[in-house]
Amino acid sequence: MSDLTKTPAGRTTPMVKAEAVHKSFGAVEVLKGITLEVNQGEVFVLVGPSGSGKSTFLRCINHLEKINAGRLSVDGDLVGYRQKGDRLYELKDREVALKRRDIGMVFQHFNLFPHMTALENIIEAPVQVKGESRSAAKERGMALLERVGLAEKAGNYPSQLSGGQQQRVAIARALAMQPKLMLFDEPTSALDPELVGEVLDVMRGLAEEGMTMIVVTHEMGFAREVGDALVFMDGGVVVESGSPREVLGNPQHERTRAFLSKVL
Amino acid sequence: MNSLDQGAVNPGRPEAIKAVPVRHPGRWAGAVVVAVLAAMLLHALITNAQFHWDVVGKYLFDSSILHGLGVTLELTALSMLIGVAGGTLLAIMRLSTNPVLSGTAWFYIWVFRGTPILVQLLFWNFLGALWTKLSIGIPFGPSFWSEPTNQVIPLFMAALLGLGLNEAAYMAEIVRGGIQSVSPGQTEAAHALGMSQSSTMRRIVLPQAMRVIIPPTGNETISMLKTTSLVSAISLEELLRAGQNIYSRTFETIPLLVTVSIWYLLLTSILTVVQYYIERHYARGANRILPPTPLQRLAGLFRGRPKPAAGPDVVPGLEGGGHQ
């Protein structure tokens, strides 16, 4: 990676930077000050019990949720706001959409468009959002399907695919926008145990190619093997962070230990 | 069961069961009663001279009846067009976060669903009594263009407005139900890909909502075809009025009502078939295998047992269409 932007200090800009991010749904505070940095090309794993705020934090990164306090930026730009002087201006829907082009997201329940075939799912955004020609998008779409091992399923509707195949199509769909950051929200939690491997294989391949990835998962084996950094969250705060090997192998906090003893 | 088990079981496979089927005497009795009633009705239709079937035949293709038929079709098509377009707009307004827009849509639906359509038709017809002139200009300021109301809104237009605007209120609720039936995950996925609000609605949400919207819209169209007969009350010469005009001269009331009914029946039957095919189109992706077309069903009947040609994967609720 040679074209990374450099800050004046000479360090690369972190892909995601969160400073004391707070998020409430009504009276319930789900994120209580999350501070972390995700570097370019890094596979960043978020683990924690359900309700700990991992998914919410992930959804804040592409502005599916609006944060209430703190600062959150992607590749140096604030998420959802523009700063002029010390004033924040909310971005228009169109500007938010423009930012989202560069951030791919993969959902727990795939959320493929059921009225479109696998290939149509993939070319939809490149054609509609980027104005790519249908033929060029189809060509790239087929290459992406090839890459996730589903070229022969191009003409199938999601209802005709297994969960693992659907999730691989969903990954290809996100990649079709050529994102610089990929968010994975429990991508294997809705899958039969047998089908988890095929999805993790695709993700492993992506990581090897240097894609920056933030992965919310309960797959500790994947975290340990592929992850560059890991954060354990509970109750809306970061309890412990470090390299996956350190945190998973030698957890410092009682809460982390208790959680890992149940998951591992 | 694995192959080992099967191998063990197969040699001693018991004979297929042959049993005396349960008899259904009640079914036979019911069928006989219905058959007798049907025969009585048919007999009455044929023998009661008051039906004047020759007169029915004479007027079935009468030019004024056919003209009325044309007007009925035109009214149905155009008012459904207004209804669907207006209803979609109202539904989107109703779901908007802007309280003025959603409030306006709510008020519109309240008024147009809350008053009889006949009253609304009469209102549009007598609009000239309410405002003698219609003008376009700056609100509360000068006007650039002005015409007498009755000239701007001729009879056909009054009928169209009455039917179309009323329909929009009903369609709004149908479209809203359809939009809300689409999982929010679909909108999120589209937004996450960078799609705008409007293209998310147009490309992702509405096509999926269609599956829920189409069947009741078909019903609305069929119902509209018949509702257009109310327009005869404001003297627009559609199908019913054309018949009425004839029997007011010839006093052949019943034959002409039969003539008109035959046309209504024929048209609703055609619409039912059209609706079936549209539903089938929008079932793409929802059913693993599309339900058979009526023709395929017929072919299946002749091939032997009338077993469902679509196999076990068809979602029964989506199969419908022929139930009008």
Side-chain angles (χ1 to χ4, degrees):
Chain A
M1 296 209 155
S2 55
D3 57 341
L4 297 180
T5 43
K6 305 270 181 182
T7 54
R11 289 177 53 237
T12 56
T13 317
M15 183 57 85
V16 175
K17 187 173 183 186
E19 294 165 279
V21 167
H22 286 253
K23 167 71 191 172
S24 309
F25 291 109
V28 185
E29 193 166 48
V30 182
L31 299 180
K32 300 170 182 164
I34 301 290
T35 299
L36 53 80
E37 267 184 32
V38 179
N39 294 317
Q40 314 241 12
E42 198 170 52
V43 176
F44 193 96
V45 184
L46 285 171
V47 298
S50 56
S52 60
K54 341 176 269 298
S55 288
T56 304
F57 178 68
L58 203 66
R59 292 160 58 83
C60 288
I61 295 173
N62 66 354
H63 207 47
L64 285 178
E65 306 289 354
K66 224 185 239 181
I67 66 172
N68 300 115
R71 285 282 189 280
L72 181 58
S73 56
V74 172
D75 208 10
D77 292 330
L78 281 182
V79 173
Y81 301 95
R82 188 181 324 107
Q83 189 159 17
K84 258 191 198 163
D86 51 0
R87 252 214 151 105
L88 286 183
Y89 296 87
E90 250 183 88
L91 293 184
K92 291 177 192 147
D93 285 347
R94 189 177 308 166
E95 295 168 303
V96 171
L98 202 64
K99 297 269 163 99
R100 282 180 182 147
R101 289 180 183 196
D102 297 332
I103 306 172
M105 185 157 192
V106 174
F107 298 87
Q108 182 178 357
H109 296 289
F110 331 133
N111 295 354
L112 287 179
F113 306 133
H115 58 303
M116 300 180 181
T117 63
L119 185 60
E120 285 168 351
N121 262 280
I122 294 171
I123 67 171
E124 178 65 16
V127 171
Q128 293 296 322
V129 178
K130 283 188 170 170
E132 212 173 302
S133 78
R134 273 188 85 81
S135 57
K138 268 187 178 166
E139 205 169 301
R140 283 203 311 115
M142 280 310 296
L144 283 165
L145 276 174
E146 191 91 44
R147 176 170 167 185
V148 299
L150 289 171
E152 79 284 6
K153 299 285 185 190
N156 286 45
Y157 288 99
S159 63
Q160 298 164 323
L161 301 175
S162 74
Q165 292 171 334
Q166 289 190 52
Q167 194 62 296
R168 279 143 71 196
V169 172
I171 294 173
R173 176 175 73 175
L175 291 175
M177 290 299 282
Q178 295 162 320
K180 57 188 177 191
L181 167 67
M182 286 282 286
L183 309 175
F184 291 86
D185 188 5
E186 301 200 27
T188 57
S189 298
L191 297 177
D192 287 346
E194 252 188 320
L195 305 176
V196 168
E198 61 190 61
V199 172
L200 292 182
D201 283 343
V202 171
M203 292 169 64
R204 199 172 286 126
L206 264 183
E208 278 162 15
E209 285 166 36
M211 173 65 77
T212 312
M213 296 159 64
I214 304 180
V215 184
V216 172
T217 188
H218 296 298
E219 296 292 329
M220 296 305 160
F222 176 84
R224 198 193 310 252
E225 184 200 336
V226 182
D228 297 307
L230 183 143
V231 153
F232 173 73
M233 281 176 69
D234 187 31
V237 295
V238 171
V239 176
E240 198 166 342
S241 63
S243 87
R245 246 165 248 284
E246 276 169 33
V247 180
L248 297 178
N250 182 21
Q252 300 300 307
H253 272 261
E254 189 50 47
R255 184 69 191 93
T256 318
R257 267 193 290 260
F259 174 76
L260 290 177
S261 71
K262 283 177 193 134
V263 178
L264 284 178
Chain B
M1 190 185 283
N2 61 40
S3 53
L4 267 177
D5 286 342
Q6 270 180 354
V9 168
N10 265 341
R13 188 169 193 269
E15 229 178 293
I17 291 174
K18 282 185 208 130
V20 180
V22 177
R23 306 292 177 200
H24 298 282
R27 285 187 196 171
W28 285 102
V32 168
V33 170
V34 171
V36 169
L37 287 174
M40 283 165 69
L41 181 68
L42 196 66
H43 180 256
L45 283 175
I46 295 169
T47 56
N48 190 334
Q50 291 308 311
F51 276 108
H52 286 293
W53 289 100
D54 52 323
V55 180
V56 172
K58 184 175 127 201
Y59 283 115
L60 199 54
F61 297 101
D62 185 272
S63 67
S64 62
I65 291 284
L66 290 184
H67 177 258
L69 183 68
V71 173
T72 289
L73 282 174
E74 219 175 315
L75 265 181
T76 306
L78 291 176
S79 47
M80 277 314 288
L81 210 66
I82 296 177
V84 169
T88 309
L89 184 70
L90 282 167
I92 291 170
M93 281 170 69
R94 188 102 149 77
L95 294 171
S96 157
T97 44
N98 181 337
V100 176
L101 289 186
S102 68
T104 307
W106 178 87
F107 180 78
Y108 180 98
I109 294 166
W110 179 66
V111 170
F112 280 83
R113 274 206 319 189
T115 55
I117 183 157
L118 187 53
V119 175
Q120 290 171 31
L121 280 167
L122 292 171
F123 244 107
W124 286 108
N125 192 33
F126 294 119
L127 200 68
L130 204 52
W131 292 285
T132 48
K133 278 184 166 198
L134 291 184
S135 31
I136 294 176
I138 295 166
F140 306 107
S143 75
F144 311 127
W145 173 91
S146 181
E147 280 285 323
T149 303
N150 284 339
Q151 220 146 337
V152 185
I153 306 184
L155 207 49
F156 185 79
M157 191 65 94
L160 201 56
L161 284 173
L163 295 172
L165 297 184
N166 179 269
E167 185 56 34
Y170 286 91
M171 282 307 302
E173 293 297 277
I174 291 171
V175 174
R176 184 170 68 105
I179 291 175
Q180 285 178 328
S181 75
V182 178
S183 123
Q186 293 289 310
T187 310
E188 277 183 2
H191 283 172
L193 284 166
M195 291 175 75
S196 67
Q197 297 276 9
S198 66
S199 67
T200 300
M201 185 52 86
R202 195 167 44 80
R203 301 277 312 169
I204 307 301
V205 177
L206 282 179
Q208 292 185 60
M210 280 302 177
R211 217 160 39 79
V212 177
I213 293 172
I214 290 287
T217 304
N219 289 344
E220 289 293 310
T221 310
I222 288 165
S223 155
M224 175 62 81
L225 184 75
K226 294 169 292 173
T227 307
T228 53
S229 64
L230 286 180
V231 169
S232 61
I234 59 171
S235 307
L236 183 70
E237 199 173 321
E238 42 65 69
L239 186 53
L240 175 61
R241 188 75 189 184
Q244 287 175 327
N245 283 347
I246 295 173
Y247 73 61
S248 65
R249 274 188 279 114
T250 66
F251 301 104
E252 291 159 324
T253 312
I254 295 293
L256 274 149
L257 289 179
V258 171
T259 307
V260 166
S261 301
I262 289 174
W263 277 116
Y264 280 121
L265 259 177
L266 183 74
L267 292 176
T268 49
S269 310
I270 294 172
L271 285 179
T272 306
V273 173
V274 172
Q275 179 189 2
Y276 178 83
Y277 279 95
I278 297 178
E279 270 181 42
R280 199 167 178 276
H281 173 78
Y282 281 104
R284 269 178 324 168
N287 297 3
R288 292 192 183 174
I289 301 169
L290 287 178
T293 63
L295 281 177
Q296 288 168 345
R297 257 176 233 252
L298 227 84
L301 273 178
F302 286 114
R303 263 203 305 274
R305 281 193 60 76
K307 79 176 191 194
D313 278 322
V314 170
V315 183
L318 295 170
E319 216 193 334
H323 56 277
Q324 299 306 327

